[in-house]
Amino acid sequence: MTTFSYDFKTPAYTGKVDFPTGVFIDGEFKEGGDKTTIDVINPTTGKLITTVSEATTADVDIAVKAAQKAFDTTWGLNASGARRAELLWKLGLLMDDHMEELCALEALDNGKTFGWAKNVDVAFAIQSIKYYAGWADKIQGKVIETDESKLTYTRHEPIGVVGQIIPWNFPLLMMAWKLGPALATGCTIVLKPSEFTPLTALRMCSLIREAGFPPGVVNILVGYGHTVGAAMSSHMDIHKLAFTGSTLVGRKIMESAAKSNLKTVTLELGGKSPNIIFDDADLEQAANWAAHGIFWNHGQACCAGSRIFVQSGIYDKFLAAFAEKTRSIKVGDPFGDDVDQGPQVSQQQFDRIMGYIDSGKQEGATVHVGGKRVGEAGYFIEPTIFTDVTPEMTIVREEIFGPVGVVIKFTDEEDVIRQANDTVYGLAAAVFTQDINRALETAHKLQAGTAWINCVNQLHAQVPFGGFKQSGIGRELGEYALENYTNIKAVHVNLRHRM
Ligand code: NAD
């Protein structure tokens, strides 16, 4: 069985990590069914960090059985809400204790900066786990008045064994968003991290065990999408599947669910979010937020504000300010001082993004800033702005998932809303203006699950997040996410015992 030992000696973090990286089933680490491994690559260098045990489809069956046993004996309706809350809270505290180590693993494995991991990913992951600890003893139905001869009420019962499949862009955070509501409601879990970024999920296994969760409540299988992910989606004994990832894979998952046991599916998928800047916006603020919107997490964010619409009266000044801000972004070693942007996650993503940059050039757009690789080793790309784009260009229509934004000039208010909504996606949108009526009217007309006014990329554990159209189905976070993990049962009691 594989383990990972590493001595961090970086400006941001010094310390040793040492933990098992096997397949985590029924509270134990073991080798995968075929005794094979997956290479984990450092995106900063392109070199191997370690290998971790590869789970197989046979492991999915074993994990589902362990999860079902836990649901029937130690979790589900057998663990009180208070108990579930206590363990979730303990897990949050353990994550606090290991915060720096989790940040270092995230920076090493994913390439995001240590500072970013600390302020955003890991901090938010801990908040999310603690937030759902607070919900665990408040999962309740309603008494519904019918007539005096009856008592009728609802129970929100845990669904049972659920599957969760997560991506590589916010590895620990996506895990926390999924574990929190599932554990709070009493479900047991088989979770598959991305094969590109398994390290924080594997580190979490030991913390989950230490927090005291009974064996089998959480099972973590690092495996490939076409094997483990596909087996989970079509499994007859997984009753709900929560997925975050690409729209392409989301479609496959829904199809597998339909063809197997009609499990319920929630999907958090891609985006091509519009960011609309009106003439009356605070120019400096709008430029800073727009840069944050697209270059956040190296552009590897589903809600990235990748289409920036700027009204003609402010266009030249905005572009100058936005370009200056973009050029000031420091790209480099994720553990380095003052670095804003590390490498893209993988060779595959690097190639994909460079391919989009080439397509933009070939289709006639102008590279206003960036457009090139940074350095020779690793997967670094300059923050890039395209201008002179037209609506049919590939870089305007497709999700790039990298540090590449397009700036589009507009004049008419109604027309910009039409253009903003002219996409298959509907995850998020932003509007910048100092006119409150215009701000609210625009926010309401935009077809997106989240609308930001004079800000972007604001997310909170309490606030639902998810997409319209092909950006997804269902909501994560907040009270809304609890609905994904419970079945509602209506109980009718006849008080008078007469037909
Ligand atoms: P991806 O869809 O390739 O992979 C996501 C996960 O699905 C991985 O764990 C992968 O192994 C698994 N997978 C791949 N093929 C599968 C299959 N056939 N069956 C089951 N599982 C399979 O996405 P990615 O490249 O890891 O992540 C990037 C995408 O995720 C982007 O499109 C982005 O917009 C989206 N995303 C969305 C959100 C959101 O909240 N809406 C958040 C993060 C990422």
Side-chain angles (χ1 to χ4, degrees), residues 166 168-169 192 195 225 229 243-246 268-270 302 399 401:
I166 57 175
W168 46 259
N169 58 342
K192 190 192 95 57
E195 58 274 31
F243 171 75
T244 298
S246 59
E268 294 287 355
L269 308 175
C302 46
E399 181 181 49
F401 223 58

Side-chain angles (χ1 to χ4, degrees), residues 169-184:
N169 58 342
F170 293 94
L172 183 68
L173 185 58
M174 292 300 105
M175 182 179 190
W177 285 16
K178 297 233 175 340
L179 291 183
L183 292 172

Side-chain angles (χ1 to χ4, degrees), residues 165-170 174 177 192-196 223-226 228-230 233 243-250 252-253 267-271 300-303 349 352 399 401 427 465-466 471 476:
I165 300 177
I166 57 175
W168 46 259
N169 58 342
F170 293 94
M174 292 300 105
W177 285 16
K192 190 192 95 57
S194 167
E195 58 274 31
F196 289 104
Y224 292 106
H226 65 275
V228 171
S233 321
F243 171 75
T244 298
S246 59
T247 299
L248 183 77
V249 172
K252 286 188 192 169
I253 286 175
L267 304 173
E268 294 287 355
L269 308 175
Q300 301 170 147
C302 46
C303 53
Q349 284 302 310
R352 188 167 172 259
E399 181 181 49
F401 223 58
L427 191 58
F465 181 74
S471 285
E476 295 204 284

Side-chain angles (χ1 to χ4, degrees), residues 24-28 65-71 73-75 188 208-209 212-219:
F24 185 68
I25 297 179
D26 212 9
E28 300 295 334
K65 285 201 177 81
Q68 187 64 56
K69 188 171 117 219
F71 185 78
T73 54
T74 56
W75 205 246
T188 54
I208 287 165
R209 193 157 67 174
F213 285 95
V217 171
V218 181
N219 305 275

Side-chain angles (χ1 to χ4, degrees), residues 28-328:
E28 300 295 334
F29 292 95
K30 62 179 209 70
E31 273 187 314
D34 290 344
K35 301 191 182 345
T36 46
T37 55
I38 291 180
D39 289 349
V40 184
I41 304 295
N42 181 348
T44 302
T45 60
K47 298 204 170 114
L48 186 74
I49 304 172
T50 187
T51 58
V52 301
S53 299
E54 179 192 356
T56 61
T57 54
D59 293 319
V60 175
D61 287 332
I62 300 169
V64 171
K65 285 201 177 81
Q68 187 64 56
K69 188 171 117 219
F71 185 78
D72 293 338
T73 54
T74 56
W75 205 246
L77 301 174
N78 305 292
S80 68
R83 177 78 182 137
R84 300 195 303 269
E86 188 191 342
L87 297 188
L88 270 165
W89 190 260
K90 268 194 197 161
L91 180 60
L93 294 180
L94 282 168
M95 291 167 77
D96 274 334
D97 291 346
H98 293 272
M99 184 173 200
E100 297 238 316
E101 180 189 337
L102 291 168
C103 296
L105 288 171
E106 211 69 313
L108 178 72
D109 194 7
N110 167 281
K112 63 182 67 207
T113 65
F114 182 87
W116 179 272
K118 193 166 177 178
N119 295 324
V120 181
D121 287 60
V122 181
F124 194 3
I126 296 170
Q127 277 164 18
S128 303
I129 292 293
K130 289 183 178 171
Y131 170 79
Y132 283 106
W135 270 114
D137 61 357
K138 299 168 193 70
I139 311 296
Q140 55 207 16
K142 295 178 183 170
V143 173
I144 299 169
E145 292 301 329
T146 50
D147 63 60
E148 286 304 300
S149 67
K150 281 180 80 182
L151 168 65
T152 314
Y153 59 93
T154 56
R155 285 162 56 82
H156 293 194
E157 298 183 354
I159 283 184
V161 179
V162 301
Q164 303 185 322
I165 300 177
I166 57 175
W168 46 259
N169 58 342
F170 293 94
L172 183 68
L173 185 58
M174 292 300 105
M175 182 179 190
W177 285 16
K178 297 233 175 340
L179 291 183
L183 292 172
T185 48
C187 293
T188 54
I189 298 165
V190 177
L191 181 143
K192 190 192 95 57
S194 167
E195 58 274 31
F196 289 104
T197 52
L199 294 183
T200 43
L202 290 169
R203 183 67 188 95
M204 285 287 286
C205 297
S206 307
L207 302 186
I208 287 165
R209 193 157 67 174
E210 198 178 331
F213 285 95
V217 171
V218 181
N219 305 275
I220 310 278
L221 308 185
V222 178
Y224 292 106
H226 65 275
T227 55
V228 171
M232 288 167 66
S233 321
S234 58
H235 206 286
M236 294 303 285
D237 298 320
I238 289 181
H239 300 291
K240 184 249 162 3
L241 199 126
F243 171 75
T244 298
S246 59
T247 299
L248 183 77
V249 172
R251 216 181 280 282
K252 286 188 192 169
I253 286 175
M254 249 190 125
E255 198 181 330
S256 302
K259 284 184 176 158
S260 55
N261 61 346
L262 285 174
K263 56 179 69 64
T264 55
V265 172
T266 44
L267 304 173
E268 294 287 355
L269 308 175
K272 192 75 186 171
S273 299
N275 181 359
I276 302 174
I277 295 151
F278 285 105
D279 280 346
D280 66 345
D282 177 325
L283 185 100
E284 195 190 329
Q285 282 297 311
N288 289 344
W289 280 112
H292 179 66
I294 176 59
F295 303 123
W296 202 60
N297 203 42
H298 322 170
Q300 301 170 147
C302 46
C303 53
S306 49
R307 292 181 297 145
I308 302 149
F309 295 94
V310 187
Q311 206 162 16
S312 49
I314 201 178
Y315 181 87
D316 291 339
K317 278 191 185 155
F318 172 85
L319 189 58
F322 181 45
E324 191 187 331
K325 183 77 192 162
T326 302
R327 287 192 194 96
S328 76

Side-chain angles (χ1 to χ4, degrees), residues 1 43 49 54 61 225 289 313 353 356 377 396 425 491:
M1 203 253 307
I49 304 172
E54 179 192 356
D61 287 332
W289 280 112
I353 297 161
Y356 274 114
V396 178
Y425 295 113
V491 180

